[in-house]
Amino acid sequence: MLAKSGRKPKYNKEMPNILVHSHVTAEVLGEEIPDVHLGSVLPDFAGMYRDSHKGLRIILKGRDPLLDRGISFHEQTDTVFDDQPEVPKIKTDLANQLVGVGVKPDAARTSSHFIADVFLDGVLLDYDEPRAAYTRLADRVLNSTTALD
């Protein structure tokens, strides 16, 4: 079993739970302002880019007020999720399962944060509306002018 070490976990704060952020934004703020919706998923894409490009960071804030509103909403959503009392138990249980199959404890702790976030996207894949909201967002990004253009 893993005990709390008191150390801050070494993991990327922008774990890719893009479908969740798209869905929560669409449900809470609506999709009427596409650049807010786009801003709400950008931190996860930027985090994946950074992780695959030797730490190269993309500056997101300050490009456009609507994107900034979406980015801020993304950060608020992460905070609300992380503050839920069930989250530490979920992550600890995941880490313990990983250790149980031979993953080193530090790697298991780091991975449990990633897995917990990605599981949320996996759950939403069973529902039409979250997939549809994300598809609409992707279509807007690919076929319309956005604040990133």
Side-chain angles (χ1 to χ4, degrees):
M1 299 292 285
L2 294 175
K4 290 186 180 180
S5 67
R7 292 181 306 168
K8 197 170 187 179
K10 299 177 203 171
Y11 66 94
N12 174 358
K13 288 190 61 138
E14 291 90 22
M15 293 299 175
N17 54 345
I18 293 162
L19 190 62
V20 167
H21 283 288
S22 170
H23 175 64
V24 170
T25 303
E27 290 295 310
V28 175
L29 299 180
E31 296 179 59
E32 295 79 28
I33 308 173
D35 285 333
V36 172
H37 196 188
L38 174 58
S40 74
V41 299
L42 282 179
D44 286 343
F45 282 111
M48 288 185 290
Y49 179 87
R50 181 188 62 237
D51 292 346
S52 65
H53 288 81
K54 299 180 182 175
L56 183 62
R57 293 186 175 272
I58 299 171
I59 297 171
L60 296 176
K61 287 191 173 179
R63 293 175 176 260
D64 179 89
L66 295 175
L67 285 177
D68 288 352
R69 183 174 166 208
I71 293 165
S72 293
F73 188 72
H74 175 108
E75 293 163 350
Q76 291 169 343
T77 303
D78 280 349
T79 298
V80 167
F81 174 73
D82 290 339
D83 286 347
Q84 297 308 301
E86 301 87 355
V87 172
K89 180 177 177 359
I90 291 168
K91 291 177 180 179
T92 298
D93 289 350
L94 286 167
N96 287 334
Q97 289 177 26
L98 291 169
V99 168
V101 296
V103 177
K104 292 182 180 179
D106 282 345
R109 267 192 298 278
T110 299
S111 299
S112 71
H113 295 277
F114 175 82
I115 293 167
D117 281 353
V118 173
F119 274 170
L120 295 172
D121 274 6
V123 168
L124 287 182
L125 286 173
D126 286 340
Y127 298 91
D128 292 336
E129 189 48 39
R131 288 193 324 268
Y134 181 76
T135 299
R136 288 188 296 273
L137 174 61
D139 182 61
R140 281 189 210 109
V141 169
L142 295 172
N143 300 308
S144 302
T145 301
T146 69
L148 294 176
D149 294 330

